[in-house]
Amino acid sequence: MTLGERQGDEKNDSKYCGVETEFNDDMPQLLSLNIHGGFDFVVAPLMDPAYRPSLLVSSNGGSGVLPFAGSDLVLSPSQWSSHVVGKISSWLDLDSEDETLRRDSEITLKQEIAWASHLSLQACLLPAPKGVTCANYARCVNQILQNLSNMQLWLRIPLEKSDDDDGNRSPNSMGEEHRDSWEMWNSFRTLGEHHSQLSVALDVLSSLPSVNSLARWFGEPVRAAIINSNSFLTNARGYPCLSKRHQNLLTECFNHSIQIVISGQQMQNFPTGTSVSNSHNSNNQSEGVEGMQRHPLRSYLDYIAYLYQKMDPLPEQERFELGYRDYLQSPLQPLMDNLEAQTYETFEKDTTKYIQYQRAVAKALVDRVPDEKASTITTVLMVVGAGRGPLVRASLQAAEETGRKLKVYAVEKNPNAIVTLHSLLKIEGWEKLVTIVSSDMRCWDAPEKADILVSELLGSFGDNELSPECLDGAQRFLKEDGISIPSSYTSFFQPVTASKLYNDIKSHKDLVHFETAYVVKFHRVARLTSPQPVFTFNHPEDSTRKSNHRYTKLRFEIPTDTGSALVHGFAGYFDSVLYKDVHLGIEPSTATPNMFSWFPIFFPLRTPMCVQPGIPLEVHIWRCCGTSKVWYEWGVTSPSSSPIHNCNGRSYWVGL
Amino acid sequence: MTLGERQGDEKNDSKYCGVETEFNDDMPQLLSLNIHGGFDFVVAPLMDPAYRPSLLVSSNGGSGVLPFAGSDLVLSPSQWSSHVVGKISSWLDLDSEDETLRRDSEITLKQEIAWASHLSLQACLLPAPKGVTCANYARCVNQILQNLSNMQLWLRIPLEKSDDDDGNRSPNSMGEEHRDSWEMWNSFRTLGEHHSQLSVALDVLSSLPSVNSLARWFGEPVRAAIINSNSFLTNARGYPCLSKRHQNLLTECFNHSIQIVISGQQMQNFPTGTSVSNSHNSNNQSEGVEGMQRHPLRSYLDYIAYLYQKMDPLPEQERFELGYRDYLQSPLQPLMDNLEAQTYETFEKDTTKYIQYQRAVAKALVDRVPDEKASTITTVLMVVGAGRGPLVRASLQAAEETGRKLKVYAVEKNPNAIVTLHSLLKIEGWEKLVTIVSSDMRCWDAPEKADILVSELLGSFGDNELSPECLDGAQRFLKEDGISIPSSYTSFFQPVTASKLYNDIKSHKDLVHFETAYVVKFHRVARLTSPQPVFTFNHPEDSTRKSNHRYTKLRFEIPTDTGSALVHGFAGYFDSVLYKDVHLGIEPSTATPNMFSWFPIFFPLRTPMCVQPGIPLEVHIWRCCGTSKVWYEWGVTSPSSSPIHNCNGRSYWVGL
C-alpha cells in the first residue's frame, strides 16, 4: 500500500516496502497476511528448506517431482510478479569444502531460479556468500545470468566493515579474514563481469560502519536494504524507532530508490490500541482490514513509513532534473554545430548565471571608468558568442546600474541567432548601443579594440567547448590592458563509483563509448574524495606560450575509513572567475547555487579500478590540440596502470 | 657478417650483432667503419644531439630545415633498412618537470621517428625513461604507434633490480623510488595497451639481478641486449671476457633470438697482432679489410662470436619443433572429428610413448597371470580407440615379451581407421589374435568383459580430449577387478609470462580467442612458479560419484626474488600413470624424455595480471559437463578478481 507519497518524486520505487518471511506451504495465505498487514511485497522462500538433491536421488532414484510449495496456479501471474520476491534457500553454500553440500547447493540454486523465472518474478534474493571465498558461487550465478530473461538477482550482503582497518594491511584480502563485506561483493561482481541483472540487497545490522564506508555503496547497484527488527530501538513511548545514523541511512536509501525490506520477529509487545503511525504524525490511514489480526511487524513498518513521509519534498530544480539522473549525454559541440533555438531557450532561463555576469561586468566597468569620468568615457564591450543576446542584456543592465556609457559589439557565428539578435535590438530599442557582427570571433576583423570581452563559452569541464581556442582568436581585438570576462577557469577531477553509468557504457560493446566524456546528472554515484584542479586557462593570456596543450598528474587519497572502493571513472567540474571575486561554477564545494546550465562531466575508465585504503590513485590527463580538433587523453598509473584512453582522439574529440 | 652459424637454427636473428655509436654527420663513413669492423648493424643517432626545437623557433622563427645529418640519399634504401637502427636522442625527457624540456622532447621524438620511418628503418631505440614516472613518454609513444607502419620501437630498459627487495613493500611502487626496472617497463607497455611494435632493448650492466628476476624477461618482447664494454672482464691473456652469469644470460639471449649490441669505448689495449678470435678457437676468419684499422670494439665482438659458436647445436627434436614455437593451435577434437591419416602418421612415430605402453601392458599381464598359468590363461585385452593399431602392436609385443596369451579387441569409431586396421591384421598375420570392432566405445555392446582396457585418449591437459567420458562408457565391459591403462591422469597448471602469445590472441579482437585453450610449443615464455596439480581421474572409477565435473582452487607463490611479473595465462600439462610405476607425461619436472606427441596447453587471461612479490596468485578452474559438450571455466581471485572465463563454454568446448 506504499509508505506514502513524496512530493515531486512520485515514481520512486522506494515507497514500496517488503517483508522477509519464513517458508510457507500456503503461499496465498502468506501473501494475504502480509499484504493486508500493510506490506507491498514478500521476500519468501520458494522451496522447502529441508530439500536436498542428494537425499532425493538416493531415495527415489533421481526422478520425481521437486518438492515445491504448491503449483504456479496458487497465485495469478500478476500476483507472483508484483508481490513476490523469491528468497533462494539460505542453506546454500556453493564454496563449501564439503563436495556434496556444494553440489546440492549448485543444483538447488539452478532449480529455484528456474522456478522463479517460470513464475516471472521480478527478483530473487540470493543468500550471502558464507565463507571468505565466493568464486564457485559467482561462477554459478554468472552461468545462470547468461540465460536469464528479465529477473534481477539481489545478492544479500551484510553491511559490515571493521573500523580498525588501518589501511596498512596486505592487499590480499581474499585469502584472509574478511573484514569488509564490500570486498566480497566486489570480487563476486568482478568474476561475473558486472552483469547488469546482478545487484545488492544490503543487510542493515544494528551497528553501522563509518559514513565514508556507507557512502561508497550509493555508487553500487543496491536495490534493497533489509532491516531486521532487532536493529530497532524502543522510544520513550514504547514504540520502535531507529538510531539517528540508521535514520540517515534509510533516508539515503529512499533518495536512491532502494527498497526497504523488514525482516525478523516482533521483538517485544508494543502498546496496543493506539495507532503507532498516529504517534509519529503519519497520514497513513490503513489500520489493517477489519477483523484481521494486526501484523506482528506492523509497528516497524509504520515507523519506516513515518521516516519516508517526513522527508523534505524534492526541491524544484531536483524535480526538474529527475529525468536526467544518471543519463549519459554527449557534450555539445557548439563550435562545429550551431545550437538550436530550444537549446538557447533552456540556457537563457538560467537567471543566476546572468546575474553573476551582470555583477562581473558592473565591477569591471567601475574599475575601468572612475565615477568622475562616467559621463565622458565610453567603454567598448564585445560579447563574443552573443547567441540570442542574454550577455548583451546583462552588460547593458550593468552599464545602467553603474551609470557607465557602453558601446557593445555582439559577435556571433550562428546566422540563425543573428536573426533573433536583430529583432531583439529593435524590440528593446538598442540599435544605437549595439552593433551586431555576424562572424566567427576567430577570424573577425574588428574595426576597433575592446576594453572588455565578455563570453560564455564554458563547458562542464571548463575548456571542453574550446573557450581557450576561441578567446585566443578574440584576444587580437582586446586592448593590451583590456579585461576578459571570464578572466580564468579551472577544471576539476574527482574519482567516483558509478556502477550504473559503467554498465550503460558497457552495453554499447565498443571501445568508443569507453573513451568518451559524457555530460551527466550524477545520482547513483559515490564521490570518493574531494575534487582536485586539473587545467587552468587565463584570459587574456600574456605569456608567449602559444599552446593550449596541457598535462596534469593528480594523486587522490581515498579516506582510509572508506575501505576499498571501485573507481569507474572521474567526475569533471569547472569553476570560473568571471571578474575578481565574482565566480561561477559547478565544483561541488564552491558551486553557484540555483544554476542549471551545466551538469558535471564523466570520464569513464575502460576497466574499473579497485583502490585499497592507503594506496593513492594516480591519474594523468592531457589536453591535446591538433589542426582540426582538440581532445583529452587520460590514464591511471596507480594502484596499477590502465591503458591511455582516447589515444590521438580516436574516440572523442571537439572540432575546431 | 654474423656471429657464426648454429647448426639447426640458421634463421635465428641473434646471429647478427650490432654496435651503438655516437652521432656522426657522415653516415656512410660511420657505416663503412663499423660494417668493415665486423658488425652487422649500427645503432646510430639520426639527429645532432645539440638540436632543441625551442632554440630553433626563437632563432629562425619556426620555419627552416631541421638539422638532420645529411639527406636520405647518403645511403641506399636497403643500406638504411638493413644496417641502421635509429637511436633516438638520449637527452629526451618526456616526463620532466621542466615544461620546455618536455615539449622539446615530445617534438623531437615525433620528428626523429618520422624521419626514421621515412628511411624505412626496421627499428628505433628509444632512450630509457629517466624518472620514476613515464606516463607522458608512454602516451607520446602510444600516439606514434597508432600510425607507424612496420617499424619496431625498442624501449631501452636498464636490467636492474635491487636484491634487498623483500616482498613486504607497499604495492605502490610507481610513486616511490624505482628499484625494479621491470615495473617501469610494465607500466609503459600497459599504458600503451601492449602494442606489438613496442619491444625492449635491455641494457646489460656489470652486475646482474637474480636468476629468477632475469628469467621473467624471456616472456617479454625483448629484441636486443645492449652490453657495454665496461661490463667485460679481462682474462689471463689480456682479452675481454664475461662472467659466467653474463655468459649464461647471453646464451639465453641467443636462444631467444635476442640480438646483441655492443656499446661503449675500448676499455684497455688488448694484445695486438694475435687474432682474439683465434684465442677462443673461433672459426670466424674475417680480420677486417686490408689496410683498415682494426675496430676498437673488435675484441669484444670476437668474444661474443666465440660465445655464439660454442653453443651446443640444437637437439633434433627441438629442430623438428622450431616451426611450432609459440604458434597457437586449437586442440584436436578427436571425439567429434575423425582424425586424418596425416595425424595418425605423426603420432605413431612417437616410439617413446609406445614403449611406455608396452612396458605397462607387460607389467599388468605379469601381475594378472602368474608364470605357472601363462600357458593356460588367456587375457582379454581391449584397445579402445585403436586408431591404426599402434597400441594393438604394443600390446601384442608385451604379450610376446612376457609369454602371456592374449586375445585383443581393437575398438575404433573412425571407419577410415578401421580400413587400415583390417589391412594391418592381414599384413602382420594377427587375424586370429585380434578382433576389430567398428564402434564408439561408449555404446559398444561387448560380447565379453575385458581384463585389461588400453587407451590413448589423453590430450595436453589430460582429460581435455574427454578420456574420462569415453572410459566411463567403456568401463561397462571391464571386469570388476580389471585394469585400465592408463590407470590415472592428472592435469597441471603453471602461471606464465607470454607476451607474444597474448598479442597473437589479442590480434583477433574478439572475446572467443581469449576464452580458448591452445596447444602450443612454448618458447618465448617465462614460467613463473612450479606447476601444481589440477584434476585427477582414476580408471576404473569405483566410487558412486557419477560426475566428471571438477573444481579446483590453486594458490601460487611467485619466488620473492623474481620481483613483480605479468601473468598472461597458464601453461597446462598432464602426467599419467599408465600402470604402477610406468608413467607418461609432459609435466616439466617429470616429463617423459624424447616424446613429441604433446605440446603443452595454454589458458589465456583476458587481462594480464600483474603479481607482486609476496602476494599469492589464486586461480580457480572448473571442468563443466553438459549434455553435448564438456568445457573449462577459469578465473583469478587474487591479487584481484578477473572475470570468469568461458562462462557456459560460450567460447571453447569439446563436443561429446
Side-chain angles (χ1 to χ4, degrees):
Chain A
M1 114 206 123
T2 81
L3 296 174
E5 291 298 336
R6 184 191 189 189
Q7 212 193 340
D9 196 14
E10 288 74 15
K11 289 185 178 166
N12 190 337
D13 274 349
S14 64
K15 67 183 169 193
Y16 302 108
C17 185
V19 60
E20 182 180 6
T21 75
E22 300 287 303
F23 174 71
N24 187 334
D25 240 349
D26 188 346
M27 184 61 87
Q29 194 206 9
L30 179 82
L31 195 60
S32 155
L33 268 173
N34 286 289
I35 299 293
H36 290 128
F39 290 95
D40 299 298
F41 62 94
V42 297
V43 180
L46 301 174
M47 201 184 272
D48 191 323
Y51 169 66
R52 294 290 182 284
S54 55
L55 298 177
L56 197 71
V57 169
S58 49
S59 65
N60 68 4
S63 74
V65 174
L66 299 171
F68 288 120
S71 83
D72 52 5
L73 293 172
V74 299
L75 296 181
S76 72
S78 77
Q79 279 180 308
W80 279 117
S81 81
S82 49
H83 296 307
V84 181
V85 165
K87 185 183 163 189
I88 303 302
S89 291
S90 49
W91 60 263
L92 265 57
D93 184 359
L94 287 100
D95 288 275
S96 170
E97 296 290 323
D98 173 349
E99 196 170 332
T100 306
L101 174 55
R102 209 168 69 217
R103 297 289 296 162
D104 272 355
S105 300
E106 196 168 327
I107 293 167
T108 307
L109 177 66
K110 288 184 178 172
Q111 287 173 339
E112 294 192 14
I113 289 182
W115 177 245
S117 182
H118 172 72
L119 299 172
S120 298
L121 302 194
Q122 290 186 47
C124 277
L125 177 67
L126 302 175
K130 295 211 166 32
V132 290
T133 176
C134 63
N136 193 46
Y137 193 1
R139 179 193 60 92
C140 290
V141 169
N142 192 37
Q143 284 189 339
I144 290 166
L145 282 166
Q146 305 305 310
N147 298 307
L148 199 62
S149 44
N150 287 311
M151 199 163 66
Q152 284 280 329
L153 299 183
W154 296 352
L155 182 66
R156 191 167 193 154
I157 297 282
L159 185 54
E160 60 187 347
K161 172 179 175 298
S162 29
D163 279 339
D164 56 30
D165 199 315
D166 59 1
N168 289 328
R169 78 221 161 103
S170 128
N172 168 36
S173 55
M174 294 309 299
E176 289 150 28
E177 199 197 343
H178 231 285
R179 300 190 299 173
D180 181 357
S181 61
W182 181 90
E183 300 206 354
M184 178 68 82
W185 157 245
N186 187 46
S187 178
F188 199 101
R189 62 94 173 267
T190 306
L191 289 164
E193 293 188 69
H194 308 257
H195 200 288
S196 61
Q197 283 165 264
L198 179 69
S199 46
V200 175
L202 284 177
D203 244 329
V204 178
L205 309 179
S206 51
S207 86
L208 293 178
S210 73
V211 172
N212 279 328
S213 159
L214 291 176
R216 65 193 159 148
W217 285 104
F218 293 103
E220 301 286 357
V222 180
R223 294 275 171 272
I226 304 170
I227 181 154
N228 196 289
S229 53
N230 65 18
S231 295
F232 283 79
L233 311 171
T234 307
N235 72 8
R237 299 173 56 190
Y239 291 106
C241 64
L242 287 168
S243 75
K244 194 68 201 163
R245 292 198 59 212
H246 279 83
Q247 291 179 39
N248 293 341
L249 175 63
L250 259 62
T251 305
E252 279 297 287
C253 287
F254 294 142
N255 277 327
H256 286 83
S257 296
I258 296 169
Q259 299 186 323
I260 307 300
V261 174
I262 299 176
S263 74
Q265 314 278 316
Q266 183 176 348
M267 298 301 286
Q268 60 170 114
N269 285 322
F270 300 112
T272 48
T274 320
S275 162
V276 179
S277 44
N278 289 345
S279 80
H280 291 295
N281 276 329
S282 158
N283 59 1
N284 191 334
Q285 334 115 320
S286 61
E287 250 307 84
V289 173
E290 295 272 333
M292 282 192 76
Q293 219 184 340
R294 188 179 161 81
H295 194 290
L297 296 175
R298 180 59 187 248
S299 300
Y300 303 98
L301 171 63
D302 287 344
Y303 181 75
I304 300 292
Y306 157 75
L307 289 182
Y308 188 85
Q309 291 158 27
K310 84 171 179 141
M311 282 190 296
D312 294 330
L314 269 194
E316 195 190 332
Q317 189 176 339
E318 279 291 319
R319 214 181 300 179
F320 170 74
E321 292 170 357
L322 264 181
Y324 293 98
R325 281 181 174 177
D326 297 324
Y327 174 75
L328 298 166
Q329 297 175 274
S330 291
L332 290 174
Q333 291 254 8
L335 200 52
M336 270 174 52
D337 308 334
N338 284 322
L339 298 185
E340 294 167 9
Q342 180 59 54
T343 314
Y344 284 121
E345 186 77 19
T346 306
F347 289 129
E348 286 166 12
K349 283 189 182 145
D350 197 342
T351 328
T352 312
K353 182 172 74 172
Y354 294 110
I355 289 173
Q356 291 299 88
Y357 267 98
Q358 186 179 331
R359 289 182 53 209
V361 173
K363 288 208 175 193
L365 284 173
V366 169
D367 278 359
R368 203 146 177 96
V369 181
D371 281 344
E372 59 276 18
K373 297 196 178 163
S375 58
T376 54
I377 297 183
T378 299
T379 302
V380 177
L381 181 147
M382 296 177 178
V383 177
V384 286
R388 307 195 308 186
L391 285 181
V392 173
R393 184 186 302 275
S395 301
L396 290 172
Q397 282 171 352
E400 194 175 310
E401 170 195 337
T402 57
R404 264 56 177 178
K405 296 176 70 176
L406 208 58
K407 178 178 181 187
V408 176
Y409 289 88
V411 185
E412 173 55 47
K413 72 160 180 59
N414 179 356
N416 308 308
I418 293 285
V419 175
T420 312
L421 272 178
H422 277 291
S423 150
L424 180 74
L425 257 56
K426 266 186 213 143
I427 290 165
E428 298 285 355
W430 291 343
E431 288 98 333
K432 295 213 171 126
L433 301 171
V434 180
T435 309
I436 294 173
V437 177
S438 179
S439 171
D440 187 317
M441 71 181 86
R442 290 172 294 174
C443 45
W444 180 43
D445 190 13
E448 63 181 316
K449 289 203 168 184
D451 296 284
I452 302 177
L453 216 53
V454 186
S455 64
E456 49 169 337
L457 305 167
L458 298 179
S460 300
F461 197 55
D463 59 80
N464 64 308
E465 294 183 6
L466 311 193
S467 177
E469 284 70 19
C470 293
L471 293 182
D472 282 355
Q475 193 172 323
R476 292 174 293 118
F477 46 82
L478 180 63
K479 289 180 184 166
E480 279 280 315
D481 65 344
I483 292 167
S484 169
I485 294 174
S487 63
S488 77
Y489 35 87
T490 300
S491 49
F492 291 82
F493 240 38
Q494 177 183 45
V496 293
T497 298
S499 158
K500 197 265 183 191
L501 301 181
Y502 173 78
N503 268 326
D504 286 353
I505 294 169
K506 187 160 73 90
S507 69
H508 291 282
K509 299 184 180 181
D510 62 20
L511 179 64
V512 170
H513 284 83
F514 270 118
E515 298 193 332
T516 298
Y518 301 89
V519 167
V520 58
K521 162 78 181 166
F522 288 136
H523 185 62
R524 300 186 73 117
V525 163
R527 294 169 172 85
L528 299 170
T529 70
S530 299
Q532 290 187 22
V534 185
F535 305 134
T536 296
F537 288 87
N538 295 297
H539 298 287
E541 176 57 79
D542 51 356
S543 105
T544 55
R545 184 173 72 175
K546 289 280 186 338
S547 170
N548 288 318
H549 177 102
R550 290 287 189 282
Y551 165 44
T552 297
K553 173 171 72 176
L554 301 175
R555 202 179 164 93
F556 293 98
E557 308 261 359
I558 294 178
T560 307
D561 69 340
T562 303
S564 300
L566 198 66
V567 177
H568 291 101
F570 298 87
Y573 312 102
F574 79 95
D575 188 71
S576 163
V577 175
L578 291 182
Y579 184 68
K580 292 193 169 166
D581 63 337
V582 184
H583 87 107
L584 193 75
I586 59 169
E587 192 278 301
S589 68
T590 60
T592 312
N594 303 316
M595 198 171 61
F596 57 80
S597 290
W598 294 277
F599 290 143
I601 200 164
F602 178 60
F603 287 84
L605 286 176
R606 287 160 57 177
T607 305
M609 192 153 288
C610 183
V611 180
Q612 287 168 324
I615 299 181
L617 171 66
E618 198 169 271
V619 59
H620 303 252
I621 318 112
W622 293 266
R623 187 183 195 269
C624 303
C625 309
T627 50
S628 63
K629 66 181 188 181
V630 172
W631 70 95
Y632 302 99
E633 301 190 14
W634 62 99
V636 169
T637 52
S638 168
S640 62
S641 291
S642 74
I644 301 275
H645 289 58
N646 196 33
C647 176
N648 285 328
R650 64 184 166 199
S651 299
Y652 159 64
W653 43 270
V654 190
L656 274 166
Chain B
M1 111 207 124
T2 80
L3 296 173
E5 291 296 335
R6 184 190 189 188
Q7 211 192 341
D9 195 14
E10 288 75 15
K11 289 186 179 167
N12 189 338
D13 274 349
S14 64
K15 67 183 169 192
Y16 302 108
C17 185
V19 60
E20 181 180 7
T21 74
E22 300 288 304
F23 174 71
N24 187 334
D25 239 351
D26 187 346
M27 184 61 88
Q29 193 206 9
L30 179 83
L31 195 60
S32 154
L33 268 173
N34 286 288
I35 298 293
H36 290 127
F39 290 95
D40 300 297
F41 63 94
V42 297
V43 181
L46 301 174
M47 203 184 274
D48 191 322
Y51 168 66
R52 294 289 182 285
S54 56
L55 298 177
L56 196 72
V57 170
S58 50
S59 67
N60 67 6
S63 74
V65 174
L66 298 171
F68 288 120
S71 82
D72 52 4
L73 293 171
V74 298
L75 297 180
S76 72
S78 78
Q79 280 181 307
W80 278 117
S81 80
S82 49
H83 296 306
V84 181
V85 166
K87 184 183 163 191
I88 303 303
S89 290
S90 51
W91 59 264
L92 266 56
D93 184 0
L94 288 99
D95 287 275
S96 170
E97 296 290 323
D98 173 349
E99 195 171 332
T100 306
L101 174 54
R102 209 168 67 216
R103 297 289 295 161
D104 272 355
S105 300
E106 196 168 327
I107 294 167
T108 307
L109 177 66
K110 289 183 179 172
Q111 288 173 337
E112 295 193 14
I113 288 181
W115 178 245
S117 182
H118 171 74
L119 299 172
S120 298
L121 302 194
Q122 291 185 47
C124 276
L125 178 67
L126 302 175
K130 296 211 165 31
V132 290
T133 175
C134 64
N136 194 46
Y137 193 0
R139 179 194 58 92
C140 290
V141 169
N142 192 37
Q143 285 189 339
I144 290 166
L145 282 167
Q146 306 306 309
N147 299 306
L148 199 62
S149 45
N150 287 311
M151 199 163 66
Q152 284 280 330
L153 299 184
W154 298 350
L155 182 67
R156 192 166 191 156
I157 297 282
L159 185 55
E160 61 187 347
K161 173 179 174 296
S162 29
D163 279 339
D164 56 29
D165 199 316
D166 57 2
N168 290 327
R169 77 219 161 104
S170 127
N172 169 36
S173 55
M174 294 307 300
E176 287 150 29
E177 199 197 342
H178 232 286
R179 300 190 299 173
D180 181 357
S181 61
W182 181 90
E183 300 206 353
M184 178 69 83
W185 158 246
N186 187 46
S187 178
F188 199 102
R189 62 92 175 271
T190 306
L191 288 163
E193 294 186 68
H194 308 256
H195 199 286
S196 60
Q197 283 165 266
L198 179 69
S199 47
V200 176
L202 283 177
D203 244 330
V204 178
L205 309 179
S206 51
S207 85
L208 293 178
S210 73
V211 172
N212 279 327
S213 160
L214 291 175
R216 66 194 159 148
W217 285 104
F218 293 103
E220 301 285 358
V222 179
R223 294 276 171 272
I226 304 169
I227 181 153
N228 196 288
S229 54
N230 65 17
S231 295
F232 283 79
L233 311 172
T234 306
N235 71 10
R237 297 174 55 192
Y239 290 106
C241 64
L242 286 169
S243 75
K244 194 68 200 164
R245 292 199 57 214
H246 280 83
Q247 291 181 38
N248 293 340
L249 175 64
L250 259 62
T251 304
E252 279 298 288
C253 288
F254 294 142
N255 278 327
H256 287 84
S257 295
I258 297 169
Q259 299 187 324
I260 307 299
V261 175
I262 298 175
S263 75
Q265 313 279 315
Q266 183 175 348
M267 298 302 286
Q268 60 171 113
N269 287 323
F270 300 112
T272 49
T274 322
S275 164
V276 179
S277 44
N278 288 344
S279 81
H280 292 293
N281 277 328
S282 159
N283 58 1
N284 192 335
Q285 333 114 322
S286 62
E287 250 308 84
V289 172
E290 295 271 335
M292 282 193 75
Q293 221 185 336
R294 189 179 160 78
H295 194 289
L297 297 175
R298 181 60 188 249
S299 300
Y300 304 98
L301 172 63
D302 287 342
Y303 181 74
I304 300 292
Y306 156 75
L307 288 183
Y308 188 87
Q309 291 158 27
K310 82 171 181 142
M311 282 190 297
D312 294 330
L314 269 193
E316 195 190 330
Q317 189 176 338
E318 279 293 317
R319 213 181 304 180
F320 170 74
E321 291 170 357
L322 263 181
Y324 294 98
R325 282 180 173 177
D326 297 324
Y327 174 75
L328 298 166
Q329 296 175 274
S330 292
L332 290 173
Q333 291 254 9
L335 201 53
M336 269 174 51
D337 307 333
N338 284 322
L339 298 186
E340 294 166 10
Q342 181 60 53
T343 313
Y344 285 121
E345 186 76 20
T346 306
F347 289 130
E348 286 166 12
K349 284 188 183 143
D350 197 342
T351 327
T352 312
K353 181 173 74 172
Y354 295 111
I355 289 172
Q356 291 299 86
Y357 267 98
Q358 185 178 332
R359 289 184 53 211
V361 173
K363 288 207 175 192
L365 284 174
V366 169
D367 278 0
R368 201 145 180 98
V369 181
D371 281 342
E372 60 275 19
K373 298 197 177 162
S375 58
T376 53
I377 297 183
T378 299
T379 302
V380 177
L381 182 147
M382 295 177 178
V383 177
V384 284
R388 306 196 308 186
L391 285 181
V392 172
R393 185 184 303 273
S395 301
L396 290 172
Q397 282 170 351
E400 196 176 311
E401 170 195 337
T402 56
R404 265 56 177 179
K405 294 176 71 176
L406 206 59
K407 178 177 181 187
V408 175
Y409 288 88
V411 185
E412 174 54 48
K413 73 158 179 58
N414 180 356
N416 308 308
I418 293 285
V419 174
T420 312
L421 272 177
H422 277 292
S423 148
L424 180 75
L425 258 57
K426 266 185 213 141
I427 292 165
E428 299 284 357
W430 292 342
E431 288 99 331
K432 294 206 172 131
L433 300 171
V434 180
T435 309
I436 295 174
V437 179
S438 178
S439 172
D440 186 318
M441 71 181 86
R442 291 171 294 173
C443 46
W444 179 42
D445 189 13
E448 62 180 316
K449 288 202 168 187
D451 295 286
I452 302 176
L453 216 54
V454 186
S455 63
E456 50 168 335
L457 305 167
L458 298 179
S460 300
F461 197 54
D463 58 80
N464 65 309
E465 294 183 7
L466 309 194
S467 177
E469 283 71 18
C470 293
L471 292 183
D472 281 355
Q475 193 172 323
R476 290 174 294 119
F477 46 82
L478 180 63
K479 288 179 184 167
E480 278 280 314
D481 65 343
I483 293 167
S484 169
I485 294 175
S487 64
S488 77
Y489 35 88
T490 299
S491 48
F492 290 82
F493 240 37
Q494 176 183 47
V496 294
T497 298
S499 158
K500 197 266 182 190
L501 301 181
Y502 173 77
N503 269 326
D504 285 354
I505 295 169
K506 185 160 75 87
S507 69
H508 291 281
K509 299 183 180 181
D510 62 20
L511 179 64
V512 170
H513 284 83
F514 270 119
E515 297 192 333
T516 298
Y518 301 89
V519 166
V520 58
K521 161 79 181 165
F522 288 135
H523 185 62
R524 299 186 74 115
V525 163
R527 294 168 171 86
L528 299 169
T529 70
S530 300
Q532 291 187 23
V534 185
F535 305 133
T536 295
F537 288 87
N538 295 297
H539 298 286
E541 176 57 79
D542 52 357
S543 104
T544 56
R545 185 174 72 176
K546 290 280 186 337
S547 171
N548 288 319
H549 177 101
R550 291 286 189 283
Y551 166 44
T552 298
K553 174 172 72 176
L554 302 176
R555 200 179 166 92
F556 293 98
E557 309 261 358
I558 294 177
T560 307
D561 69 339
T562 303
S564 300
L566 199 66
V567 177
H568 291 101
F570 298 87
Y573 312 102
F574 79 94
D575 187 71
S576 162
V577 176
L578 291 183
Y579 183 68
K580 291 191 170 167
D581 64 337
V582 185
H583 88 108
L584 193 74
I586 60 169
E587 191 279 300
S589 68
T590 60
T592 312
N594 303 316
M595 197 171 63
F596 57 80
S597 290
W598 293 276
F599 289 143
I601 201 163
F602 178 58
F603 287 84
L605 286 176
R606 287 161 55 178
T607 305
M609 192 153 290
C610 183
V611 181
Q612 287 168 324
I615 299 182
L617 172 66
E618 198 169 270
V619 58
H620 303 252
I621 318 111
W622 293 267
R623 187 182 197 270
C624 304
C625 309
T627 49
S628 63
K629 65 181 187 180
V630 171
W631 70 95
Y632 302 99
E633 301 190 14
W634 62 98
V636 170
T637 52
S638 169
S640 62
S641 291
S642 75
I644 301 276
H645 289 57
N646 195 32
C647 176
N648 285 328
R650 64 182 166 200
S651 299
Y652 159 64
W653 44 270
V654 189
L656 274 166

